[in-house]
Amino acid sequence: MTVAHLATLGQRLRETIGERLHALPLPPSISRVLTFQNLTGWPPEKSTRDTAWLDGLRGVAAFLVMIGHFGPTFWSPMTYEAPYGANNKGMQGGDDNPRYPMNDIFRLPLLRVWFSSGHAQVSIFFVLSGFVLSWSPLRSMRQGQSQNSTLGQSLSSAVFRRWVRLYLPCFAIAFWQLWEFRAGWRVMAGVPNEEYIFMQIWDFIKRSARFANPFWINRRDNQYVHAYDWTMWTIPHEYAGSLMVFLTVLAISRIKKAWKRTVVLSMLATVALVAAQWDFWLFATGVLFANYVVAQGGFEKLDPSRLQQSMWLAVLLIGLLLAGVPPRLDVYYDRPDYEWLDVFTPEDWQDIEGGGRLWWCWGGILCVISFAHLPLARRFFELPLMRYMGRISYMLYLVHRIVLNLVGGRLTTAVYKTFGRSGYIDISKAADGSIKAGGNFGFRCTTYFIYLILLLVIVPLVFLASHWAEVLIDAPSTRLARSIDTWFVKGGADHTQTEKTMEELETLPTHSVSLPIHAPDHTRSYIDAPSPSSRAADEADLHIKGYTDMSPSSSRAADEADNHTKSYTSTPSSSSRAADEADDEDAPLLAEDPFHVGTSERQHV
């Protein structure tokens, strides 16, 4: 071989290697990865779906749950939820001072929704879950596709993936708290501090298996709680409610007329209400409301006249008033102006949180229905901040107490010491060492200022942690659930076809956030997940949260085309839990393709 031949061979080799290297999916540059949007998830992508406001509503609900959990940490916990004018029984000074009324302005009706409506927000989660999980199949029934053979396959996939979608993030978050407990950063009542770490992990596994037992549907109140994180108590409710929605959709799939479906769904919701099965009542009401919206032709058809708008504003006002009903804690405070509700509380509901759960459920139902009929309210929930919270809602729900535990203690100690507070934001310590709760107008203004400082520090940290929890925990859980489902259904032999199907399944909602990766030959997108409970749930999968193809039928094809043209380098890999409830629904339950290849933009617990 001559030198010329060697030179020619070398040139060809360099060209070949160069072409191969150029085709490799090389990692992106640091400058492309470390963008503000990738680091924080802000701003969210715009969405043109008429159901995008449901994401925002779920996000606001998750945020208010967080605010409600922060309250007993910052304020005196036993009286935090007491209404305006209530008697603080712990501060009574005898017959000469029989009452110690609490007249803080935030205790007033409507204003207390910010501070103390977390109970009602859970009701909103479940109504949205029922709505989103049933939206796509109900819409397909209206279009005459209820006999499509893909219904069974889609429901099968939804049920198969639901458990993984809801519980896997819970395990990850609770496992982190196990390490906090071992490090001495967290106190857990009822959890033994085992001598060896492997014994602690074994205890965690046993408690997690008990918590996520799929055959344990109806439980007592404390049986819904994971010992390593009590915040997750709604997830078993979410799982049981999701199964009820799937079964209900299957049962009514042959009913062609909307009014007949309304009769069946109304009976189901009524039976659950009378039986005091509050979680099933909320899910059934969500399905009933979805059937109503579909029959009307979408949310835009619900826009009311001025007279009707006034009526729906009144309904919203009632819903907000009921959302702020204080819990019944007679040992710590009374409830002036609310005790009359006890007369109208059925006996079967009296044992459910003192009857309060009935009114919180009504508050959540009325709020969701009235919001849907008020265009201005829907536009409010479509604002970027609301949709951002909707995208991270499931993780926001799960991780906020971790951030509070790691940061809140040191922060409150420093702030309280600066302003002369003792233990809680509304308790001061005098020079003589005496403790005093409350104070004059100046004291209360300072108290609200301290509260604002605490929120301005902690809330952004919670948002940041929730974003990364979604990127690292929630989105991978969604993809894993789909991968497992696809592997069992397709056998895993045809890897190329499976990968193609998974790429088609994971349709990215327009408000997701991206982590760039080189993808030379194809594009990739991932569905937004509230929740368990949400993210609306596996439209099933919050939400998780909650926690779905929520886009109107007329624009769905366009949404699919738009979403599939976005490359993974320019779109996010997160999955919102508002859509969780929608995980399942990442793919519509009645898609044309046997493996529901259609677009689906998820709403979730």
Side-chain angles (χ1 to χ4, degrees), residues 56-66 118 121-122 124-125 128 542:
L57 176 56
R58 179 177 289 275
V60 171
F63 179 83
L64 291 178
V65 168
M66 176 189 71
Q121 306 308 322
V122 171
I124 291 178
F125 288 159
L128 291 181
L542 181 15

Side-chain angles (χ1 to χ4, degrees), residues 10 30 66 71 89 103 134-135 174 191 208 220 329 340 368 436 471-472 519 554 573:
I30 297 298
M66 176 189 71
K89 296 182 178 181
N103 296 326
S134 60
W135 172 262
V191 176
S208 296
R220 297 185 181 274
L329 298 174
W340 63 273
V368 172
K436 181 180 179 182
V471 171
L472 300 176
S554 61
S573 66

